[in-house]
Every structure is written in structure tokens, then in C-alpha cells.
Amino acid sequence: MNSGDVFVSLVVGFAVPLAIADLAKALLDQRLPVQSNSIQLERRFVVWFLALIAGPGFLVDRLAEVWREGKVSRQDLACGVIVAFGWAWIYGLVVLGFVRKIELL
């Protein structure tokens, strides 16, 4: 693996989840669940499925939102960015692995 592979994995890892998140917002007509004041366990399958396939996109959206509102410290923002980049990189590796498997068929 070289730096080009890492870059492509990051681009794919951010682009695909952000596209899925935007598509979900368009299809669900902005009716995505919003966390209330307390932590609650979501029991709907759609929410968990969206979190799984569009998680990095939702994380980036949320990080940008709290940063604009000034509700997050620099340390928490830095940790969130590191997690988002790591998650996107792994996501990109998985997507590219699927593409290579399909290409070999």
C-alpha cells in the first residue's frame, strides 16, 4: 500500500457515505431521527442500517454542525476528526476491496 492508495481510500471513504447520507436525507424528507437531551437506544432497523453504511458522512456532518455552533472544544473536535478519517479510510478500503472482487469476476 502506498500513499496513493491511502488517498483514494480516504476519498472513497468520505464520498460514498456522504452521498448515501444526502440521499437518505432527500428520500426521508429530513425526517432522520434526532437525538434528544438524553441518550436513547434506537430500535428502528433503518436508523442502524444508515449508521452502518453512512456513518462517516453523518459524523462529518455532525462535527461541522457543532463546530459552526461553537459547541465543541478543540480537543474533542480533533478527536472527532481523527475518528472520522480513520473510519473513512477503513470504509474506503472495504469499498475498494468489493470493487476489486467484482472486477475479478
Side-chain angles (χ1 to χ4, degrees):
M1 176 171 283
N2 59 23
S3 61
D5 292 338
V6 172
F7 178 75
V8 171
S9 294
L10 282 172
V11 169
V12 169
F14 278 121
V16 172
L18 284 170
I20 292 170
D22 286 342
L23 180 66
K25 288 177 186 176
L27 290 177
L28 295 174
D29 195 28
Q30 298 294 333
R31 289 178 287 141
L32 292 173
V34 177
Q35 192 75 2
S36 63
N37 292 336
S38 62
I39 295 177
Q40 59 195 21
L41 177 64
E42 187 59 55
R43 295 185 179 163
R44 292 176 286 178
F45 174 75
V46 173
V47 175
W48 286 101
F49 185 69
L50 275 175
L52 179 66
I53 64 171
F58 286 132
L59 179 58
V60 168
D61 279 348
R62 185 67 179 145
L63 281 172
E65 181 182 322
V66 296
W67 179 63
R68 280 190 298 264
E69 294 172 356
K71 293 182 178 178
V72 65
S73 68
R74 286 188 210 175
Q75 294 85 4
D76 289 341
L77 182 64
C79 288
V81 168
I82 290 169
V83 168
F85 269 82
W87 193 356
W89 180 53
I90 292 169
Y91 194 98
L93 287 175
V94 170
V95 170
L96 291 175
F98 281 132
V99 169
R100 288 185 184 129
K101 292 263 188 211
I102 291 171
E103 188 178 275
L104 293 176
L105 295 177

